[in-house]
Amino acid sequence: MIKPLTSRFACLSLLLGSILITGCATKFEKQAFNSEAAGNIKKITVPHWNDQDEYSARVVNHPGLSFGLIGAVIVAADTSSKTKKLNDALDPQKTKLTAAFYEKALPGLRQLGYEVIAVPAKRSDKADDVKAAVRTAQGQDASLLLRIDASYLAAGASTDYYPSVVVDAELTDSKSQATLYKEAYHYGYNDGNKDVVHLEAATDCKFKDIEALTANIDKTRTCLTASVDVLVKQIVADLKK
């Protein structure tokens, strides 16, 4: 069934807005873990996000972006087409990366001595609403905002696609509201940002084009899910008191 024109235009507009926004790099203000200030923290709340509905396949520096708004519309359509091809093969229902992340991350935090309260969060929720829910008084000493997002990115139209799994983390003291730790972890695709912690993916996790990306979907899926152990190990190490 063909979607109505208004529906397709709305979807394209959302994707276009995402491309324009993510194309503007901003400096990440990190905060190393303050183990001394966190010495008395025992109980923490953590948002438990639901899994992604899809994993995007996107060319970051797409040549179409050089041609203004019309070019950006072309880029959005190209991204939408490649993302559909990837997800038709990958099937997000079989690639529950977020669930796998929390299955490892929450026990890892508990092994550090934290009592963890998981607060359900939906990806459709506003960021401020999730932050408020996690910081609502539940007897916690601090809230740990964690968010994980995954995709496949290529730097340019003729460069390889790499898995890109990003985790943003921020620990806030419940009483003082002081930030005790703030970090961003980027697995796989490296955009050269020195303000984040970059973690390497396996050397064979690169795909020359969308056809290669969907040719061996088990490998494509594994290159995403392999990020979980690497990311959790690093985050747990950074939060050790």
Side-chain angles (χ1 to χ4, degrees):
M1 180 178 179
I2 298 176
K3 292 183 178 181
L5 181 59
T6 53
S7 175
R8 283 184 289 163
F9 181 76
C11 293
L12 188 59
S13 297
L14 287 172
L15 183 56
L16 173 58
S18 174
I19 288 174
L20 291 175
I21 292 171
T22 55
C24 302
T26 57
K27 181 178 177 60
F28 181 82
E29 298 294 338
K30 62 167 55 187
Q31 166 70 54
F33 180 53
N34 189 333
S35 58
E36 182 177 350
N40 295 323
I41 290 178
K42 302 296 183 183
K43 183 183 292 187
I44 60 175
T45 50
V46 180
H48 192 306
W49 298 88
N50 64 320
D51 275 284
Q52 293 177 229
D53 292 329
E54 67 175 21
Y55 298 88
S56 67
R58 182 166 63 87
V59 176
V60 177
N61 299 305
H62 198 291
L65 292 175
S66 300
F67 300 98
L69 185 59
I70 293 177
V73 171
I74 294 172
V75 174
D78 180 57
T79 302
S80 179
S81 174
K82 289 176 178 176
T83 295
K84 184 178 185 305
K85 287 181 181 179
L86 173 61
N87 287 274
D88 283 348
L90 190 64
D91 188 356
Q93 293 302 313
K94 296 180 179 179
T95 315
K96 294 184 177 295
L97 182 71
T98 301
F101 173 75
Y102 285 109
E103 285 174 5
K104 295 288 183 70
L106 299 188
L109 292 170
R110 292 184 178 112
Q111 288 177 3
L112 293 178
Y114 297 107
E115 179 183 344
V116 181
I117 302 173
V119 180
K122 296 181 180 180
R123 291 181 179 273
S124 58
D125 294 340
K126 295 180 179 179
D128 287 344
D129 291 341
V130 173
K131 183 179 292 187
V134 175
R135 292 181 175 176
T136 297
Q138 300 180 58
Q140 73 270 33
D141 303 304
S143 59
L144 175 61
L145 290 170
L146 286 176
R147 180 173 173 111
I148 181 169
D149 290 286
S151 59
Y152 267 95
L153 301 179
S158 59
T159 57
D160 295 328
Y161 281 90
Y162 287 89
S164 173
V165 185
V166 175
V167 175
D168 292 326
E170 182 176 358
L171 182 69
T172 304
D173 185 279
S174 294
K175 291 182 179 179
S176 66
Q177 297 302 308
T179 299
L180 304 177
Y181 153 79
K182 187 175 182 180
E183 191 60 270
Y185 302 87
H186 289 197
Y187 169 91
Y189 180 81
N190 188 351
D191 63 359
N193 188 346
K194 295 182 180 180
D195 296 320
V196 305
V197 176
H198 181 254
L199 302 168
E200 296 286 347
T203 56
D204 64 340
C205 285
K206 56 183 181 180
F207 306 84
K208 66 177 183 178
D209 51 31
I210 189 63
E211 283 70 30
L213 193 58
T214 56
N216 183 350
I217 206 61
D218 287 336
K219 178 182 177 182
T220 302
R221 182 180 293 110
T222 297
C223 284
L224 282 177
T225 57
S227 67
V228 170
D229 285 338
V230 179
L231 287 162
V232 170
K233 181 180 179 180
Q234 185 65 55
I235 293 169
V236 169
D238 288 349
L239 284 171
K240 185 176 181 181
K241 292 189 284 186

